Amino acid sequence: MGAAEIRRCGAVTQPDGSVTWRVWAPKVKRVELVLIDGDRRRNVPMRAEGDGYFTHSDGSVREGQRYVYRLDGAERPDPCSRWQPDGVHRPSSVVFHAKFAWTDRGWRGVPREDLVFYELHVGTFTTEGTFDAIIPRLPELRDLGVTAIEIMPVAQFPGDRNWGYDGVHLFAPQDTYGGPEGLRRLVNACHAHGLAAVLDVVYNHLGPEGNYAGEFGPYYSDRYRTAWGAALNYDGPGSDGVRDFILDNVRHWAEEYHLDGLRLDATQSIFDISPVHITSEIKGVADRAAGPLGWPFHVIAESLLNDVRIVLPPEQGGYGLDAEWNEDFHHALVAFLTGERHGKYVDYGSAADLPRVLEKTFILDGRYSRHRGRRWGASARDVSGDRFVVGIQNHDHVGNRARGERLAALVGPPVQRLAASLMLLSPHLPFLFMGEEYGETNPFLFFCSFGDRGLVEAVRRGRKNDYALQGEVPDPQATLSFTASRLNWSWPDGSPRAGLRRLYRDLLAARRRW
Amino acid sequence: MGAAEIRRCGAVTQPDGSVTWRVWAPKVKRVELVLIDGDRRRNVPMRAEGDGYFTHSDGSVREGQRYVYRLDGAERPDPCSRWQPDGVHRPSSVVFHAKFAWTDRGWRGVPREDLVFYELHVGTFTTEGTFDAIIPRLPELRDLGVTAIEIMPVAQFPGDRNWGYDGVHLFAPQDTYGGPEGLRRLVNACHAHGLAAVLDVVYNHLGPEGNYAGEFGPYYSDRYRTAWGAALNYDGPGSDGVRDFILDNVRHWAEEYHLDGLRLDATQSIFDISPVHITSEIKGVADRAAGPLGWPFHVIAESLLNDVRIVLPPEQGGYGLDAEWNEDFHHALVAFLTGERHGKYVDYGSAADLPRVLEKTFILDGRYSRHRGRRWGASARDVSGDRFVVGIQNHDHVGNRARGERLAALVGPPVQRLAASLMLLSPHLPFLFMGEEYGETNPFLFFCSFGDRGLVEAVRRGRKNDYALQGEVPDPQATLSFTASRLNWSWPDGSPRAGLRRLYRDLLAARRRW
């Protein structure tokens, strides 16, 4: 499918300065657009286009115009909202994307084999917790040898503290991070500093609060279930609209935010028995959308399946993505270096795993996994190392512990240096979690700021059930869980932290010379 | 995976005449084998082999030995029972497979391109409703030009009247059809008459009554749902045992029943995100098991996805099966010839569909399907016609109508002849439903004989909900629904029936000469 065939929804600004709203609402007989200006409200009937789409155009709309859709009665924000200036539950807002003055015309991107990822969480990377606050740190990341920042999900989520995987407005950069303009300034600055910007996007589920999509259309499958609730409907009745929703989102991030790539969250939970899997279509749409920009666009799967079909070309039955995660690398190293054997680490820990994961990529290549309770994975065959992303820390492995300990809180500087060396000298694409390069010891805890009391209690119970054996579990809803997770961003001269950071820089420099 | 690596369960007779029981019961701490001889019962503790398997061997067991397993208290028949002489709920029985005197050493099978299927339902094909009663009719089928009978599922089901898709003992041929010996006599006779025997097997769910598998192990997925209830667990924790259960079943039908192939029911509901899909493993195991027999073994998918990945080779990302169903052929012809447009026929009916389905195989090749509510299918590309099975009637299309009308009850002889000609002269593999060759007008109704009252009521309600618009729906539980579905097996000389049958015979003969 070509990007041009995707039905674009949301409040889309046109070349003539007008705004066209389009909403996919096949569950609804009648949709009105409600334009909100302070206390003034205008209800405008939308024209049915067929196939459940409704549209309306207006030539005299200004930036920031608030609006909602009225669906057979209830008023709801736009599932394709570009901006939620007042949070997930409140009205959507019009954004004039073309207004932004991009200065990255000369940017040529980063080839896949040169990717070195630096994962950061906007809310805790700086004290300010905004897109703009990241910009002053970009030169230090570039100096370190990082070539791409990977931004944890920014789709509008409930409240102002969240890892990002509870996002509900997939087109709207989080208001408390700085919204659309903030993200654009960050990406533009990345390019100015010679860094690529990759965004983590969640296409396997939608968040549990402020999620009204199900009132508009058949967004959810009645056939599949994910660990986070209902799976998105990629192959059942009405799935054309859901697929277009996601593919338009991909196009949106490429065209309108100039991103260099997307990291697809938990692709093993993107269930799709269609002849062409949605992740494969995502890659096609991304390439076509990014083509005119003049740099390569990387689509990377967080797949936990140890299955190279993710990166094999379609003619070999693959999805054709650029790279996939290889969690075996993390587990093998961390189990060996820390001695931990709980949970996912039960399948790892032998010294023999270290050369194996460097040479063969997968440890679980069809062998029995006690953690999975079955044989897991398949051989990585002769797929080259630069199709796999490896790390020794990330938000999940740090944050999904009772106390959110980073590696530097578990092992001393010599072991940190060993772990870093193995990663940085591996044939795979290195992936750093913010702060690991200087041995940050602040935790990275699980945090949220839901408004729904029942949901808050459910999350608290869930975290306790999962991690109580490891010790007391901090309250995920507490502000302190968030503020305690901020980086110190400090590596005093002569300290082990400065030494570790120097090691990262030197080895990344060495990598570039091979 | 090699067939040799599959853990074989059930009461397996050994070369030395002893019997080894093995049962996979990871949900159970302790399993006893209970040997039953009339009123006498002996409880024998089974030895835990690890991985949830329990075993016991006995050198002095006779054919027909009844047994059950005692699981932490409850007594249950064997999920891998070879024989349920007293129905689904009662004890299992030992069968000495090696005893049967096969006479098909010279059988060389039917190459794929020569396959002409004749689907029959054992219970209604003859008045007797047994495997043995089929045998006298084989010469007439061979004379007709059929090359393979396709036997609707025979895995032990509740009661004595069932289409077969409610089977619960996948290794046990239905007792009321004649059990293991009866099926073997039928297959042996097929081969003697130059006919292949293909068995319809259901690997997407287990039947709703008499199904105790879930008490033994994690047979069901908590991730997927089929239209018939819980999906089998092919990729979650414990799925190695489920996969082995199915793969051993495949091996069993090939090795111990000398079948020529399997028709896999509704493969679109066999959900599996493993690196190698279970249907692909089924083909591998089938080929290895059938290899020594000396004839080709055909694995055919009833896939409704219009997706040639089913038959593409693994190196192109396919499952490597021999053939897949092409329902578009049926729907295009029947909609055009009958004028019906309800349900699945809504997407068909134009005259242009007829040349298209002959030339391009799929009508729904990515275009929007109103019935499916989404774009459906993909191009059949250049996959040859003999990889697709086409028919103008089958048990589903006839039986899933309020009154179970066959084509001959809907259209007159000239139209029947036209439909048959289009099928028989198509480049695809023809598929006949028992009786269509002489224009049988008896209905083929939906029937069952469950023992569970609640289930009976649920099935009655379900049929009424689905088909009440078409008229009064006969009671599926009534014996009359079964007996009314029997064939007349009569084509008096000079009648249109005799003419139609002659047409089938002549065109099948013509096909062989191309």
Side-chain angles (χ1 to χ4, degrees):
Chain A
M1 153 160 19
E5 298 163 34
I6 302 165
R7 289 238 219 183
R8 190 168 303 182
C9 287
V12 177
T13 52
Q14 304 296 323
D16 65 2
S18 69
V19 172
T20 299
W21 280 267
R22 185 188 279 126
V23 60
W24 182 59
K27 284 194 176 175
V28 182
K29 288 259 183 307
R30 189 159 164 271
V31 182
E32 283 180 328
L33 174 68
V34 183
L35 297 169
I36 303 170
D37 297 284
D39 290 343
R40 198 168 146 245
R41 305 164 68 84
R42 282 174 294 151
N43 285 34
V44 185
M46 297 186 78
R47 182 172 59 79
E49 281 188 317
D51 299 340
Y53 289 87
F54 296 85
T55 190
H56 175 72
S57 289
D58 190 323
S60 59
V61 179
R62 43 168 194 70
E63 170 111 338
Q65 170 73 56
R66 302 290 201 278
Y67 71 97
V68 291
Y69 294 123
R70 193 174 170 84
L71 312 176
D72 296 339
E75 288 191 350
R76 297 297 181 221
D78 187 348
C80 296
S81 167
R82 265 54 173 172
W83 188 16
Q84 288 295 116
D86 310 304
V88 295
H89 300 286
R90 305 272 299 134
S92 303
S93 180
V94 172
V95 176
F96 282 75
H97 281 289
K99 217 182 58 178
F100 188 80
W102 291 100
T103 61
D104 61 354
R105 191 176 296 255
W107 175 240
R108 288 293 162 264
V110 177
R112 183 183 64 239
E113 60 271 24
D114 294 340
L115 285 168
V116 177
F117 299 95
Y118 188 92
E119 181 182 44
L120 60 83
H121 176 264
V122 178
T124 53
F125 185 60
T126 63
T127 310
E128 297 85 346
T130 63
F131 295 123
D132 283 318
I134 296 167
I135 295 174
R137 293 186 178 174
L138 296 178
E140 282 168 304
L141 296 181
R142 180 64 201 174
D143 168 68
L144 181 66
V146 162
T147 61
I149 63 167
E150 182 172 306
I151 309 164
M152 283 173 66
V154 303
Q156 186 77 32
F157 53 74
D160 54 5
R161 307 182 304 275
N162 196 287
W163 281 11
Y165 302 94
D166 298 311
V168 290
H169 292 282
L170 298 198
F171 293 76
Q174 174 71 8
D175 62 331
T176 58
Y177 288 172
E181 292 293 288
L183 180 56
R184 267 191 284 255
R185 284 191 296 269
L186 171 60
V187 176
N188 199 45
C190 280
H191 292 173
H193 288 99
L195 287 164
V198 171
L199 183 64
D200 189 350
V201 289
V202 185
Y203 292 155
N204 48 59
H205 76 289
L206 296 176
E209 179 183 328
N211 164 10
Y212 303 106
E215 299 178 28
F216 287 79
Y219 279 85
Y220 298 105
S221 171
D222 56 3
R223 199 150 47 195
Y224 311 118
R225 201 174 69 69
T226 78
W228 314 281
L232 282 168
N233 169 26
Y234 288 112
D235 59 14
S239 54
D240 290 351
V242 182
R243 296 174 81 92
D244 273 5
F245 168 73
I246 293 298
L247 295 174
D248 189 34
N249 189 254
V250 169
R251 185 206 55 69
H252 165 81
W253 292 125
E255 285 181 3
E256 299 178 23
Y257 285 87
H258 285 204
L259 285 158
D260 297 85
L262 297 176
R263 176 265 196 191
L264 311 184
D265 181 62
T267 57
Q268 73 278 1
S269 293
I270 298 180
F271 300 107
D272 184 9
I273 56 170
S274 308
V276 179
H277 197 277
I278 186 72
T279 56
S280 192
E281 289 202 343
I282 284 170
K283 173 62 180 162
V285 166
D287 281 349
R288 282 189 291 278
L293 296 172
W295 56 81
F297 195 90
H298 308 286
V299 180
I300 298 147
E302 183 211 14
S303 164
L304 305 183
L305 300 179
N306 288 13
D307 183 350
V308 294
R309 280 186 299 178
I310 300 284
V311 296
L312 290 180
E315 57 272 21
Q316 290 175 35
Y319 298 166
L321 300 204
D322 297 283
E324 63 180 275
W325 279 34
N326 173 20
E327 291 276 87
D328 280 0
F329 188 93
H330 172 272
H331 301 344
L333 257 70
V334 170
F336 178 73
L337 297 175
T338 65
E340 294 192 358
R341 295 292 183 275
H342 57 83
K344 62 201 172 199
Y345 298 125
V346 69
D347 294 316
Y348 308 86
S350 87
D353 285 349
L354 302 186
R356 184 175 175 83
V357 82
L358 289 168
E359 279 180 5
K360 303 281 188 185
T361 300
F362 295 144
I363 302 293
L364 299 176
D365 59 358
R367 70 172 70 173
Y368 184 77
S369 158
R370 284 174 63 195
H371 178 56
R372 299 287 183 182
R374 63 162 302 196
R375 288 188 291 263
W376 196 257
S379 164
R381 302 191 237 176
D382 54 357
V383 176
S384 67
D386 64 2
R387 309 302 289 261
F388 301 98
V389 177
V390 302
I392 55 176
Q393 301 190 51
N394 68 33
H395 69 274
D396 266 328
H397 302 311
V398 172
N400 285 328
R401 305 175 65 95
R403 285 180 298 273
E405 301 96 327
R406 292 158 173 276
L407 193 58
L410 298 173
V411 298
V415 175
Q416 292 168 48
R417 289 194 291 267
L418 174 58
S421 303
L422 285 166
M423 168 180 67
L424 297 171
L425 301 179
S426 84
H428 308 109
L429 301 176
F431 179 96
L432 283 61
F433 180 52
M434 60 177 195
E436 78 169 63
E437 74 278 16
Y438 65 82
E440 175 65 65
T441 49
N442 280 356
F444 186 72
L445 296 166
F446 186 80
F447 45 79
C448 57
S449 50
F450 291 120
D452 180 318
R453 289 284 123 201
L455 180 57
V456 170
E457 283 314 311
V459 171
R460 283 177 177 145
R461 269 197 312 274
R463 298 296 297 185
K464 276 197 184 149
N465 287 344
D466 288 353
Y467 304 108
L469 285 178
Q470 296 173 23
E472 195 169 336
V473 179
D475 177 7
Q477 184 79 1
T479 306
L480 186 60
S481 294
F482 173 75
T483 54
S485 299
R486 284 187 188 135
L487 295 188
N488 264 308
W489 202 250
S490 139
W491 46 91
D493 279 348
S495 67
R497 286 186 168 194
L500 183 64
R501 192 171 182 285
R502 179 65 177 257
L503 175 80
Y504 272 86
R505 204 181 65 174
D506 289 350
L507 290 181
L508 284 171
R511 250 184 105 85
R512 289 193 295 276
R513 285 193 299 269
W514 296 342
Chain B
M1 154 156 20
E5 300 163 34
I6 301 164
R7 290 238 219 184
R8 190 167 304 181
C9 286
V12 177
T13 52
Q14 303 297 322
D16 66 0
S18 67
V19 172
T20 299
W21 281 266
R22 187 189 277 127
V23 60
W24 182 59
K27 284 192 178 176
V28 182
K29 288 261 183 306
R30 189 159 163 270
V31 181
E32 283 180 326
L33 174 69
V34 183
L35 297 168
I36 303 170
D37 296 285
D39 291 342
R40 199 168 145 245
R41 306 164 68 84
R42 283 175 292 152
N43 285 33
V44 184
M46 297 185 79
R47 183 173 58 80
E49 282 187 317
D51 298 340
Y53 288 87
F54 296 84
T55 190
H56 175 72
S57 289
D58 190 323
S60 59
V61 180
R62 46 170 190 70
E63 170 112 338
Q65 171 73 56
R66 302 289 202 276
Y67 70 97
V68 291
Y69 294 123
R70 193 175 170 84
L71 312 177
D72 297 339
E75 288 192 350
R76 298 295 180 222
D78 187 348
C80 297
S81 166
R82 264 57 174 171
W83 188 17
Q84 288 295 116
D86 310 304
V88 295
H89 300 286
R90 304 272 299 133
S92 304
S93 179
V94 172
V95 176
F96 283 75
H97 279 291
K99 217 182 57 178
F100 188 80
W102 291 100
T103 61
D104 60 354
R105 191 176 296 254
W107 175 242
R108 289 295 163 262
V110 177
R112 183 183 64 238
E113 58 272 24
D114 294 340
L115 286 167
V116 177
F117 299 96
Y118 188 91
E119 181 182 45
L120 60 82
H121 176 262
V122 178
T124 53
F125 185 61
T126 63
T127 311
E128 297 84 348
T130 62
F131 296 123
D132 284 317
I134 297 166
I135 295 173
R137 293 186 177 173
L138 295 178
E140 282 168 303
L141 296 180
R142 180 65 200 174
D143 168 69
L144 182 67
V146 162
T147 62
I149 63 166
E150 182 172 305
I151 309 163
M152 282 173 65
V154 303
Q156 186 76 31
F157 53 74
D160 54 5
R161 308 182 304 276
N162 196 286
W163 282 10
Y165 301 94
D166 298 310
V168 291
H169 292 283
L170 298 198
F171 293 76
Q174 174 72 7
D175 63 331
T176 58
Y177 288 172
E181 291 293 289
L183 180 56
R184 267 191 284 254
R185 285 191 295 269
L186 172 60
V187 176
N188 198 45
C190 280
H191 293 173
H193 287 99
L195 287 165
V198 171
L199 183 64
D200 189 350
V201 289
V202 184
Y203 292 156
N204 49 60
H205 76 290
L206 295 177
E209 180 183 328
N211 164 10
Y212 303 106
E215 299 178 29
F216 288 79
Y219 280 84
Y220 298 105
S221 171
D222 57 0
R223 197 148 52 192
Y224 311 118
R225 202 174 69 69
T226 78
W228 313 281
L232 282 168
N233 169 26
Y234 289 111
D235 59 14
S239 54
D240 290 351
V242 182
R243 297 174 80 93
D244 272 5
F245 168 74
I246 293 297
L247 295 174
D248 190 35
N249 189 254
V250 169
R251 186 206 53 72
H252 165 81
W253 292 125
E255 284 180 4
E256 299 177 23
Y257 284 87
H258 284 205
L259 285 159
D260 297 86
L262 297 175
R263 175 264 198 194
L264 310 184
D265 181 62
T267 56
Q268 73 278 1
S269 293
I270 298 179
F271 300 107
D272 183 9
I273 56 170
S274 309
V276 180
H277 196 276
I278 186 72
T279 57
S280 192
E281 289 201 343
I282 285 170
K283 173 62 180 161
V285 167
D287 281 349
R288 281 188 292 276
L293 296 172
W295 56 80
F297 195 90
H298 308 285
V299 181
I300 298 147
E302 184 210 15
S303 164
L304 305 183
L305 299 180
N306 288 14
D307 183 350
V308 294
R309 281 186 298 179
I310 300 284
V311 296
L312 290 180
E315 56 273 22
Q316 291 175 35
Y319 298 165
L321 299 204
D322 297 284
E324 63 180 276
W325 280 34
N326 174 21
E327 292 277 88
D328 280 2
F329 189 93
H330 172 272
H331 301 344
L333 256 71
V334 171
F336 178 73
L337 297 174
T338 64
E340 294 192 357
R341 294 291 183 276
H342 57 83
K344 62 202 171 199
Y345 299 124
V346 69
D347 294 315
Y348 308 86
S350 87
D353 284 348
L354 302 186
R356 183 176 175 83
V357 83
L358 290 168
E359 280 181 5
K360 303 280 189 187
T361 299
F362 295 145
I363 302 294
L364 298 176
D365 58 358
R367 69 172 71 172
Y368 183 77
S369 158
R370 283 173 63 195
H371 179 56
R372 299 289 183 179
R374 62 162 303 196
R375 287 187 293 262
W376 195 259
S379 165
R381 303 191 239 174
D382 54 359
V383 177
S384 67
D386 64 2
R387 310 302 290 260
F388 302 98
V389 177
V390 302
I392 55 175
Q393 300 191 51
N394 69 32
H395 68 274
D396 266 328
H397 301 311
V398 173
N400 284 328
R401 306 174 63 96
R403 285 180 298 274
E405 301 98 328
R406 292 157 171 277
L407 193 59
L410 298 173
V411 300
V415 175
Q416 292 169 48
R417 289 195 289 270
L418 173 58
S421 304
L422 286 166
M423 168 180 66
L424 297 171
L425 301 178
S426 83
H428 307 110
L429 302 175
F431 179 97
L432 284 61
F433 180 52
M434 60 177 193
E436 79 168 62
E437 74 279 15
Y438 64 82
E440 175 64 67
T441 49
N442 279 356
F444 186 73
L445 295 167
F446 186 80
F447 45 79
C448 57
S449 50
F450 291 121
D452 180 318
R453 290 284 123 202
L455 180 58
V456 171
E457 285 312 312
V459 172
R460 282 177 177 144
R461 267 198 312 275
R463 298 297 295 185
K464 277 198 182 146
N465 286 345
D466 288 352
Y467 305 108
L469 285 178
Q470 297 172 22
E472 196 170 332
V473 178
D475 178 5
Q477 182 80 1
T479 306
L480 188 60
S481 295
F482 173 75
T483 54
S485 300
R486 284 188 189 134
L487 296 188
N488 264 308
W489 203 250
S490 143
W491 46 91
D493 279 349
S495 68
R497 286 187 169 193
L500 183 64
R501 192 172 182 283
R502 179 64 178 256
L503 175 81
Y504 271 87
R505 204 180 64 175
D506 289 350
L507 289 181
L508 285 171
R511 250 186 106 86
R512 288 194 293 275
R513 286 194 299 268
W514 296 341

